[in-house]
Amino acid sequence: MREGFGGILPPGFYIFCKGGNCFFTGKSGAYMCKTCGCGGHGNGTQLNFFVKGYTPENAKQAEEKLLGLKGVLHVHIHAHDGETMLNYDPAKTTLSQIMGVLEELGLKAVL
């Protein structure tokens, strides 16, 4: 085991950092959020990004609206720091549609 973000990482798990944001990766290579360790869900395309402006209320709204898009398979939001994990099928939902939902709620994604 290796020391990681405030704890110990088991063998096969790594930390990936880009632009000052860090994520865990598991044995499958799927990103895992740094707060709770949730990983990818489904076989879609996984996005990990931060959003500015979340409150507990609008984070719940964002999750519900994003899950309402045809190709969105999974959404996981941490309102306290803006960390957002989304798994989707780009053949059914475009990145513009995803960003549009966030903009509708007055939120700004940092990709």
Side-chain angles (χ1 to χ4, degrees):
M1 297 204 154
R2 294 176 319 276
E3 298 239 0
F5 270 48
I8 304 291
L9 294 176
F13 287 79
Y14 305 93
I15 297 173
F16 170 80
C17 295
K18 183 173 183 180
N21 300 318
C22 295
F23 302 93
F24 293 125
T25 61
K27 291 182 181 185
S28 68
Y31 293 117
M32 301 166 64
C33 76
K34 66 181 172 127
T35 306
C36 71
C38 74
H41 296 269
N43 294 324
T45 298
Q46 190 161 315
L47 297 176
N48 293 64
F49 55 97
F50 286 82
V51 173
K52 293 182 179 180
Y54 277 141
T55 64
E57 295 78 23
N58 68 15
K60 178 94 172 123
Q61 286 178 313
E63 182 178 349
E64 290 170 357
K65 286 187 174 228
L66 288 166
L67 286 170
L69 295 174
K70 189 174 182 178
V72 174
L73 307 169
H74 175 76
V75 177
H76 189 85
I77 296 172
H78 290 280
H80 68 281
D81 68 358
E83 185 177 12
T84 303
M85 179 181 291
L86 186 135
N87 193 297
Y88 77 110
D89 180 349
K92 296 180 181 177
T93 302
T94 66
L95 188 55
S96 295
Q97 289 173 304
I98 293 167
M99 295 303 118
V101 165
L102 297 173
E103 288 172 9
E104 260 179 45
L105 295 169
L107 301 168
K108 181 173 172 77
V110 181
L111 297 174

